[in-house]
Structure formats: structure tokens, C-alpha cells
């Protein structure tokens, strides 16, 4: 990176920001907050357990992540530069299915790994709770206590605590 990067930050894109594309999707089913890159990658490994090759497993940690198809070193450096310039970026996302008892989807490995490589300790995160919009119109507040306890067990596997509609 050619430019100064003495104080990088991962700034969450919101509202009309170009990268806030998933912010408005079923907001009543979202937990928002910040997680460490390690916690995010922990959820990714939990989601993909048993489906990764040994090579993929070895790179499923933020300090060893090497990108994926179509995402080379140039793209990774561009992400880091955006964080150095404090350009707003989409939060990392994890889809959680309480019925399955695990995460079922994610977005943000590159952003999380870039933040980790810059020494950024927390990244903005959204945990999307599938059960909260499929079965309960009230969203997370409408989930039965047993489902909230199951959600907390899923998150706690990676050291993430939930406080109402927030994670951190």
C-alpha cells in the first residue's frame, strides 16, 4: 500500500452508502454489533465444518486467509486501502439457522481478514437470524426463550455474546 495507513478503521456502511446493500434486508431479524475477525472466522469454520478440504481448513483463520477464486492480492490490498482511508464498507454477515443449530451462510471473509492484517480489533457485524423472520413477524423479540437460548449457544461457541439485539 502506497498511502499512509497509520490509523485504519473498518467503517460500517449505512443508509444510502454504496456498500450498505444488505442493511435494510429484514432488519427485525438482525443482530448488530461488532465481533473480532477471529470470532467471524470461527463462525465460518462452524458453518463449513466437515465440508472443507484440509487446505481450506488451514486458511480459514484471518491471519492465514488467502482469498478465493477471482480475488487476488490486488483486491485484498484495495480493501486494506479503503480501510486506511476510512471508506464505508458493508458489515460482515453471518446467517444463523436456530433449527439447524449453526450458521448457514456468510459474507465478509476478505474484509475481516483485511481488517485483521491491519490490526483492526473489531469489525462491524450483522447476525441474520433466519428463524426470526420466517416464523415470527415480531422478529428477534418474538422468538421463544428456547430459541434465544439456542441462538446464544451457537454464538457462544465463538465467544460472541448477545445483549438483546446487539452482539459484541
Amino acid at each position: 500500500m502506497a498511502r499512509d495507513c497509520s490509523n485504519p478503521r473498518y467503517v460500517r456502511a449505512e443508509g444510502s452508502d454504496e456498500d450498505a446493500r444488505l442493511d435494510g434486508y429484514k432488519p427485525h431479524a438482525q443482530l448488530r454489533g461488532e465481533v473480532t475477525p477471529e470470532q467471524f472466522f470461527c463462525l465460518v469454520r462452524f458453518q463449513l465444518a466437515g465440508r472443507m478440504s484440509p487446505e481450506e481448513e488451514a486458511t480459514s483463520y484471518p491471519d492465514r486467509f488467502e482469498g478465493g477464486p477471482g480475488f487476488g492480492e490486488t483486491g485484498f490490498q484495495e480493501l486494506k486501502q479503503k480501510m486506511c482511508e476510512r471508506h464505508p464498507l458493508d458489515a460482515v454477515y453471518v446467517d444463523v439457522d436456530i433449527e439447524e443449530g449453526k450458521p448457514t451462510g456468510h459474507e465478509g471473509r476478505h474484509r475481516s481478514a483485511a481488517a485483521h492484517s491491519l490490526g483492526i480489533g473489531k469489525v462491524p457485524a450483522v447476525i441474520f437470524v433466519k428463524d426470526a423472520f420466517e416464523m415470527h413477524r415480531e422478529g428477534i423479540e418474538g422468538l421463544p426463550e428456547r430459541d434465544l437460548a439456542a441462538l446464544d449457544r451457537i454464538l457462544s461457541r465463538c465467544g460472541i455474546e448477545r445483549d438483546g439485539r446487539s452482539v459484541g
Side-chain angles (χ1 to χ4, degrees):
M1 293 185 319
R3 296 191 196 113
D4 173 50
C5 192
S6 58
N7 193 14
R9 279 196 54 218
Y10 191 138
V11 177
R12 176 194 297 267
E14 295 187 44
S16 63
D17 287 335
E18 177 184 348
D19 283 331
R21 51 199 165 99
L22 296 175
D23 252 13
Y25 183 70
K26 311 281 187 192
H28 65 286
Q30 295 181 4
L31 299 171
R32 295 171 165 256
E34 293 184 320
V35 298
T36 68
E38 292 84 358
Q39 289 170 323
F40 174 75
F41 272 86
C42 174
L43 289 170
V44 171
R45 287 190 303 278
F46 185 16
Q47 174 201 347
L48 300 175
R51 298 187 323 199
M52 287 190 282
S53 69
E55 294 79 22
E56 290 170 320
E57 173 71 31
T59 61
S60 65
Y61 296 83
D63 56 341
R64 293 187 245 157
F65 183 68
E66 297 173 356
F71 196 89
E73 183 61 26
T74 302
F76 193 68
Q77 293 302 324
E78 287 172 2
L79 268 178
K80 288 168 57 173
Q81 189 60 44
K82 286 181 177 183
M83 290 177 190
C84 290
E85 296 170 359
R86 298 179 175 206
H87 178 83
L89 298 168
D90 224 356
V92 299
Y93 281 78
V94 177
D95 297 327
V96 172
D97 187 324
I98 294 171
E99 199 170 291
E100 285 191 39
K102 67 177 194 168
T104 55
H106 67 272
E107 288 285 333
R109 290 177 300 156
H110 299 94
R111 284 168 277 154
S112 187
H116 178 79
S117 74
L118 290 170
I120 298 171
K122 297 257 184 167
V123 298
V126 173
I127 309 294
F128 184 74
V129 184
K130 177 183 172 192
D131 310 66
F133 82 88
E134 286 190 348
M135 296 181 274
H136 300 281
R137 234 178 282 171
E138 310 85 33
I140 291 165
E141 287 85 4
L143 289 174
E145 199 55 44
R146 71 177 184 288
D147 287 354
L148 292 173
L151 174 61
D152 290 339
R153 280 192 299 279
I154 294 166
L155 298 175
S156 69
R157 282 183 61 138
C158 295
I160 301 169
E161 293 183 15
R162 180 182 62 84
D163 181 13
R165 299 266 320 261
S166 298
V167 291

